[in-house]
Amino acid sequence: DEAHCISQWGHDFRPAYRSIHILHSLCPQASTIALSATATKQVLKDIEEQLELKKPKLFKSSFFRENLTYKTYQTEDKNYKIKTLLEKSRGSALIYVGSRLATQQLAKTLSVNGFSCGFYHGGMSNKEKEQQYKQWMNNENKVMVATNAFGMGIDKSDVSTVIHTHIPES
């Protein structure tokens, strides 16, 4: 899953992804599936090369999902808008911000306003990351404020709200 990482960030973010092709020599009959919801044509080609895929089959569908709603808001006060969105949220929430410092600042602001909230970014120790992740997965914290370091392979059925406070770079 998240196969685009082998191309976009694999050099330093997930270096082990670049060795997956070795599995073919150890177990030649094994099948490989590479999944990505965001890979461009160039990234697809790079995934194929990096994983040394032979005659891969491409399955592609639309970004449209009946169970998802996308909305864009212009607001003078992001914190107030986030608070109102979270008050309407039925399940867990994930808020992506643009910096490590912003994760801590927004999590503190939301906590002061009565939301159970954690934060996650690439500068934290593995122990801290694991603790924050577990608290969110176990619903001890309803809200996770994070940089894009969070989100790889998340499988949490009750996430009802995902907010981006800044337009992602990609």
Side-chain angles (χ1 to χ4, degrees):
D1 198 8
E2 307 291 354
H4 56 269
C5 291
I6 197 170
S7 177
Q8 293 177 301
W9 307 297
H11 308 281
D12 53 4
F13 184 64
R14 294 280 194 264
Y17 279 24
R18 301 181 74 78
S19 300
I20 291 174
H21 70 276
I22 294 170
L23 296 174
H24 294 293
S25 62
L26 299 173
C27 191
Q29 72 279 12
S31 298
T32 302
I33 184 170
L35 304 171
S36 174
T38 59
T40 63
K41 287 180 183 180
Q42 180 183 354
V43 171
L44 289 173
K45 186 175 186 292
D46 198 24
I47 291 169
E48 182 180 340
E49 291 172 1
Q50 294 296 324
L51 296 178
E52 298 182 10
L53 300 176
K54 308 294 184 223
K55 298 181 185 176
K57 293 180 183 176
L58 177 63
F59 299 90
K60 187 176 179 179
S61 64
S62 169
F63 282 110
F64 177 76
R65 301 289 187 270
E66 289 184 19
N67 62 329
L68 298 179
T69 303
Y70 300 91
K71 295 181 181 180
T72 303
Y73 300 98
Q74 282 193 327
T75 181
E76 295 292 320
D77 188 345
K78 284 185 184 182
N79 289 344
Y80 177 77
K81 186 62 180 176
I82 290 168
K83 182 181 170 205
T84 61
L85 291 171
L86 293 177
E87 287 169 345
K88 295 176 188 176
S89 179
R90 296 174 314 279
S92 295
L94 181 53
I95 303 172
Y96 285 105
V97 297
S99 71
R100 294 175 179 182
L101 180 60
T103 64
Q104 296 172 32
Q105 291 173 334
L106 183 55
K108 183 177 180 179
T109 298
L110 292 172
S111 293
V112 167
N113 281 280
F115 294 96
S116 58
C117 192
F119 63 90
Y120 189 107
H121 60 72
M124 299 168 65
S125 71
N126 287 338
K127 185 177 178 181
E128 290 171 315
K129 289 178 189 176
E130 185 176 334
Q131 179 184 9
Q132 291 290 330
Y133 177 76
K134 282 182 180 179
Q135 288 175 343
W136 187 66
M137 290 298 288
N138 294 330
N139 291 320
E140 295 171 41
N141 286 332
K142 179 183 175 182
V143 180
M144 177 67 79
V145 181
T147 63
N148 63 3
F150 188 77
M152 304 301 286
I154 291 195
D155 186 10
K156 189 168 189 329
S157 63
D158 73 334
V159 176
S160 62
T161 305
V162 178
I163 299 170
H164 290 268
T165 63
H166 297 85
I167 296 173
E169 291 181 18
S170 65

